[in-house]
Amino acid sequence: DAGVIQSPRHEVTEMGQEVTLRCKPISGHDYLFWYRQTMMRGLELLIYFNNNVPIDDSGMPEDRFSAKMPNASFSTLKIQPSEPRDSAVYFCASRRGTAVTANTGELFFGEGSRLTVL
Amino acid sequence: AQTVTQSQPEMSVQEAETVTLSCTYDTSESNYYLFWYKQPPSRQMILVIRQEAYKQQNATENRFSVNFQKAAKSFSLKISDSQLGDTAMYFCAFRSQGAQKLVFGQGTRLTINP
């Protein structure tokens, strides 16, 4: 089975530009998570979805960030307008619901999108 | 809120040696799950090992094993016969049984020297 697929792998943009990161979760996974990784703050959860519905977006830094999941196989994280402090690696991860027997809730990660805002 | 602490920012050992990475966590719950993830230079996060808090037996996966001390809230990772390919960032993570998200520690950068 294919893993979590993210695009682009690298993005370099200028301050003020719109950035869209994309994610295709593993088929059959009920949950999708967006994490941000920086040297200063480590791995931070931005938002997660259950069955395409946003459940907790308390980690989204501010209104410049938005995330959508229009269907079970696609999600986007958008930053508009982007700022240099948004430079980070953004990870998408997915997993099955924990109602599944013996499921400890292991997350499967994509390879991440490295964003650089100049 | 739960927190995860990894007190060793960096570690370095020689190939074939055994190394132990430390992790402590803070929670008031009794049922939860603990994980160690590896992040090699390729950047992708890979699950190394997992432990259910209700299990007393320490988890083992080939050369990787954990020392789970529930009362002390400690969850260390031991890598035996270390290999060059073990060079990576290692993250300890916690998930309470009723929650959906993983909380990660700050990571330990492990270097295996030839």
Side-chain angles (χ1 to χ4, degrees), chain A residues 3 13 19 22 42 54 59-60 69 83-84 94-95 100 102 111-113 115:
Chain A
T13 190
V19 174
R22 297 173 177 79
M60 296 286 262
M69 192 166 185
E83 297 182 2
S94 70
R95 66 165 171 80
V100 176
E111 294 184 325
S113 295
L115 172 65

Side-chain angles (χ1 to χ4, degrees), chain B residues 1-6 23-28 34 73 92-94 103-105:
Chain B
Q2 289 87 3
T3 58
V4 178
T5 302
Q6 294 178 249
C23 172
T24 58
Y25 55 94
D26 184 25
T27 184
S28 58
L34 296 160
K73 298 179 183 176
C92 180
F94 170 99
V103 177
F104 287 87

Side-chain angles (χ1 to χ4, degrees), chain A residues 65-83:
Chain A
F65 285 69
S66 63
K68 294 181 179 180
M69 192 166 185
N71 58 62
S73 59
F74 184 65
S75 177
T76 60
L77 178 67
K78 185 176 294 186
I79 309 172
Q80 165 66 12
S82 58
E83 297 182 2

